[in-house]
Amino acid sequence: MDKILVHGGNSLAGSIKISGSKNSALPILAATLLTREPCTIHRVPDLSDTHYMLQILIHLGAQVERASGIVTVTADKVQSVAPYDVVRKMRASVGVLGPLLGRCKEATVSLPGGCVIGDRPIDLHLKGFEALGAAVRVEGGNVKVFAPKLAGAVINLRGKFGPTVLGTDNVMMAAVLAEGTTVIEGAAQEPEVCDLADFLNKMGAKIEGAGTRRIIVEGVSELHGAEHDIIPDRIEAGTFLVAGAIAGSGVTVNRVEPKHLTAITDALSGCGFKIEAKNQAITVSPNGAPKPLEITTEPYPGFPTDMQAQMCALLSTTEGISVITENIFPQRYMHVAELKRMGAQVQMEGSTAVIQGVERLTGAPVMASDLRASAALVLAGLKADGITEVSRVYHIDRGYEHLDEKLSELGAHIERVKA
Ligand code: EPZ
């Protein structure tokens, strides 16, 4: 397993081009199952998660062509069973349930395992499918859904932790070919849900209200092929802005959608950093001593849970007491123990982290555990004394396109050691 060595102390400067969004590409690639015609998707990031999704589509019978970031999928004939050995690698594989149910009126997908950020139930997805008329059975580690026909319904998809992103995606994809109108109340408002709805509408679906809590889907008889550009990855952009805050003298992220990042740029402004947004670029610059902050993760447009670990790394060396409360995945603190190995002072109180900023962290061997925690450890190493050795970097490669290379381009002293 590869390792990343971060030699702390270099200052970052310059600009970086942000890739297409992982969390938009995954459901959009799944949505290509809804038509037998070719679909061409641009700016698909080169990640292990997108590779896994393409493997699943191929397993289901689709033809896939990939030329750098452009992927063409033709799902002329599909079968509706996605087995464990394919699904287990990536939880987002559950996102094929909705399109398979819509297209084939049945689907069998292995239940996703839990992961280090917590139990990852899909009860809300299944509630939505049942409301559309599907029968749901869980047996032998698989979830089976089938429906003689799908009929529009009014569905509330809000759970005790708020809306579900992939649940909203899945139900939307099952509803586009249902008879009649479906209303999804309590829908997720993330930009990635909007991007999926935009793609489905290009395929001939009739979806209104994406981006609000209420999405209305008018069922149609079939969908046709379409071409689509994936939106920029707001979490990758946020990760580089935090890197610039930790160790930068002026870092710019290019090809971003600033309106998707306001919760992140507001937080960095709250820490005292200078933020300049212009067209499709945002620059973060130091502006005096950073200030401590209180952050609570919330569904979009609130502060994203996927940026919580990265902010932990920044606030660990921000003088004063900062408080982070994680409302979406209360256990999402695998990075804290590793940051403490580097000298961070963090006190956990349930799903709240109380951080006493220290002058400097010290480089140490640390272990990546999930995608965003891993990125946070690399960021922490940028300003730490000495070398931070991050192992199990396959977690990083799941969701970041060449993170180490992009940080090197900004001036970081960082190397990947092939194990
Ligand atoms: C998506 O996961 C993202 N993944 C996650 O990003 C992100 O953290 C999450 O949304 C929240 O924003 C992709 O888009 C591929 P949820 P998703 O359903 O859809 C609970 C990353 O780092 N819940 O919105 O799986 C759930 O346990 C990844 O890129 C139920 O209770 O998350 C959680 O507490 C990590 N029942 C909350 O809702 C359900 O049926 C939000 O989960 C579904 C979810």
Side-chain angles (χ1 to χ4, degrees):
M1 286 184 272
D2 292 3
K3 290 180 179 173
I4 286 182
L5 303 185
V6 187
H7 302 251
N10 282 23
S11 174
L12 306 191
S15 66
I16 205 78
K17 197 170 93 165
I18 295 301
S19 305
S21 163
K22 164 180 86 79
N23 292 349
S24 183
L26 293 174
I28 284 177
L29 288 172
T32 62
L33 292 167
L34 283 161
T35 178
R36 58 182 70 243
E37 295 182 10
C39 292
T40 299
I41 316 297
H42 296 258
R43 293 195 195 127
V44 175
D46 178 18
L47 307 168
S48 43
D49 270 13
T50 48
H51 295 162
Y52 289 147
M53 181 55 83
L54 294 177
Q55 282 171 12
I56 292 170
L57 298 184
I58 291 166
H59 181 90
L60 293 170
Q63 283 112 39
V64 170
E65 290 156 46
R66 180 172 197 147
S68 67
I70 303 173
V71 173
T72 298
V73 181
T74 309
D76 182 18
K77 294 182 182 57
V78 291
Q79 57 92 6
S80 62
V81 178
Y84 178 69
D85 63 331
V86 176
V87 168
R88 67 183 171 81
K89 298 174 190 166
M90 178 182 66
R91 186 186 172 284
S93 318
V94 289
V96 300
L97 272 171
L100 287 174
L101 182 59
R103 170 84 182 268
C104 311
K105 303 296 181 282
E106 61 175 7
T108 301
V109 174
S110 170
L111 274 170
C115 65
V116 290
I117 68 176
D119 180 23
R120 306 293 293 274
I122 60 168
D123 57 303
L124 298 171
H125 303 230
L126 303 181
K127 172 187 172 187
F129 296 150
E130 286 176 323
L132 293 171
V136 172
R137 268 215 318 270
V138 176
E139 58 190 31
N142 291 322
V143 58
K144 295 174 185 287
V145 291
F146 50 99
K149 75 179 179 76
L150 295 169
V154 178
I155 307 164
N156 189 321
L157 273 190
R158 197 175 171 80
K160 66 180 178 183
F161 293 99
T164 163
V165 173
L166 285 179
T168 302
D169 294 345
N170 246 337
V171 173
M172 205 160 53
M173 289 191 279
V176 291
L177 294 175
E179 286 177 24
T181 301
T182 296
V183 178
I184 303 174
E185 299 283 4
Q189 294 176 259
E190 273 67 5
E192 296 76 28
V193 174
C194 299
D195 205 25
L196 172 63
D198 289 348
F199 175 57
L200 290 167
N201 282 338
K202 286 179 185 173
M203 295 171 79
K206 290 185 178 151
I207 301 170
E208 289 176 7
T212 73
R213 283 276 176 262
R214 166 187 273 224
I215 296 178
I216 300 172
V217 183
E218 194 185 320
V220 295
S221 53
E222 65 177 353
L223 297 183
H224 51 72
E227 193 147 0
H228 187 75
D229 282 7
I230 299 284
I231 57 172
D233 193 315
R234 61 193 169 98
I235 304 302
E236 184 197 21
T239 303
F240 277 100
L241 288 173
V242 171
I246 289 176
S249 55
V251 167
T252 299
V253 288
N254 285 322
R255 209 182 65 79
V256 298
E257 195 58 72
K259 67 175 189 251
H260 293 165
L261 282 133
T262 46
I264 299 163
T265 50
D266 287 355
L268 292 173
S269 302
C271 275
F273 292 95
K274 187 175 168 213
I275 298 286
E276 293 159 279
K278 197 165 155 223
N279 303 330
Q280 303 265 296
I282 299 177
T283 301
V284 59
S285 317
N287 186 23
K291 294 177 280 192
L293 200 62
E294 295 215 6
I295 295 176
T296 300
T297 66
E298 295 169 335
Y300 190 89
F303 189 86
T305 174
D306 292 350
M307 283 298 303
Q308 182 257 107
Q310 299 91 315
M311 285 304 285
C312 252
L314 169 62
L315 296 171
S316 293
T317 56
T318 299
E319 192 181 350
I321 303 278
S322 297
V323 180
I324 295 186
T325 301
E326 171 59 66
N327 281 341
I328 311 295
F329 295 108
Q331 302 163 48
R332 192 175 196 171
Y333 284 108
M334 297 299 285
H335 45 286
V336 167
E338 301 304 307
L339 289 170
K340 290 169 87 167
R341 289 174 45 72
M342 298 173 70
Q345 303 281 322
V346 186
Q347 187 68 35
M348 291 308 303
E349 291 164 16
S351 62
T352 295
V354 180
I355 304 167
Q356 163 79 52
V358 296
E359 178 74 25
R360 294 185 83 71
L361 297 178
T362 308
V366 289
M367 191 176 295
S369 54
D370 80 273
L371 169 53
R372 309 302 176 182
S374 319
L377 296 173
V378 172
L379 299 191
L382 293 172
K383 207 173 93 176
D385 286 336
I387 298 174
T388 300
E389 181 184 289
V390 183
S391 57
R392 298 190 181 181
V393 294
Y394 57 85
H395 289 293
I396 293 180
D397 297 336
R398 292 192 47 186
Y400 288 96
E401 205 174 29
H402 318 310
L403 177 71
D404 44 323
E405 292 168 22
K406 290 183 175 180
L407 285 170
S408 294
E409 282 172 38
L410 291 171
H413 181 180
I414 185 169
E415 52 189 320
R416 180 181 286 250
V417 176
K418 293 273 178 214

